[in-house]
Amino acid sequence: MKAVIQRVSQASVTVNNHCIAKINTGLLILIGIEDEDNQEDINWLSKKIVNLRIFNDENGVMNKSLVDADGDAIIVSQFTLHASTKKGNRPSYIKASKPNTAIPIYKSFISKFESELGKKVQTGEFGADMKVSLLNDGPVTIIIDTKDKK
């Protein structure tokens, strides 16, 4: 699994001109899923993201996690995170899982993330044409690939 984590002051997801998710302080998390991803990847990544100390403490130092900051989260599935641009100018998405594999992993990740965070998170709509809006705070943007965890 690949994740792009963005610390935000606000973020929202709109589908067909209807806002389906909206948060203030928290994280916008884009998730890319491959066929090889499994429960170990879900467990490791959800725990890693929830506990990343990327929110400022009272001294302005990034020393607080999402839990410590009492922040919210939006999780959005984004197959384009697995784009290969090695050949030509048209990206290949061959490594991205098809919906029948990706949807259960995506739902499992959301569930595990919510249990790690201790509260409900908002989500995008899998497979939809989404408009994602955010105000990146910092800016703080972190990329994590579970294939690089060891």
Side-chain angles (χ1 to χ4, degrees):
M1 294 177 79
K2 286 186 182 179
V4 173
I5 300 115
Q6 296 180 300
R7 186 179 78 180
V8 299
S9 299
Q10 61 187 30
S12 64
V13 178
T14 302
V15 176
N16 295 326
N17 295 319
H18 176 69
C19 183
I20 63 168
K22 186 174 185 174
I23 63 169
N24 288 314
T25 300
L27 298 176
L28 173 65
I29 304 161
L30 307 174
I31 296 291
I33 299 166
E34 293 181 294
D35 288 344
E36 297 82 32
D37 294 329
N38 58 38
Q39 193 62 48
E40 180 184 335
D41 294 306
I42 291 166
N43 295 344
W44 183 85
L45 186 59
S46 61
K47 186 174 184 174
K48 175 64 83 174
I49 294 171
V50 165
N51 291 298
L52 278 175
R53 294 177 8 188
I54 58 174
F55 290 89
N56 293 344
D57 63 16
E58 52 283 342
N59 297 315
V61 177
M62 285 196 284
N63 204 27
K64 288 186 173 186
S65 69
L66 184 60
V67 173
D68 299 331
D70 193 29
D72 293 312
I74 297 177
I75 300 173
V76 176
S77 177
Q78 188 171 357
F79 75 94
T80 60
L81 293 181
H82 289 290
S84 174
T85 57
K86 289 182 182 180
K87 293 166 63 176
N89 292 318
R90 183 171 186 254
S92 169
Y93 304 105
I94 195 127
K95 288 186 78 177
S97 289
K98 303 286 186 259
N100 62 332
T101 301
I103 291 171
I105 294 171
Y106 176 64
K107 288 181 177 178
S108 183
F109 178 79
I110 292 164
S111 178
K112 183 64 178 172
F113 192 89
E114 288 176 335
S115 70
E116 292 282 345
L117 185 58
K119 64 179 170 181
K120 198 102 170 102
V121 300
Q122 297 189 49
T123 65
E125 183 179 319
F126 192 96
D129 180 15
M130 295 175 274
K131 307 302 179 207
V132 179
S133 175
L134 70 138
L135 182 56
N136 193 317
D137 182 20
V140 175
T141 301
I142 296 173
I143 301 169
I144 300 175
D145 188 335
T146 60
K147 304 305 181 257
D148 296 332
K149 68 180 175 254
K150 294 179 182 178

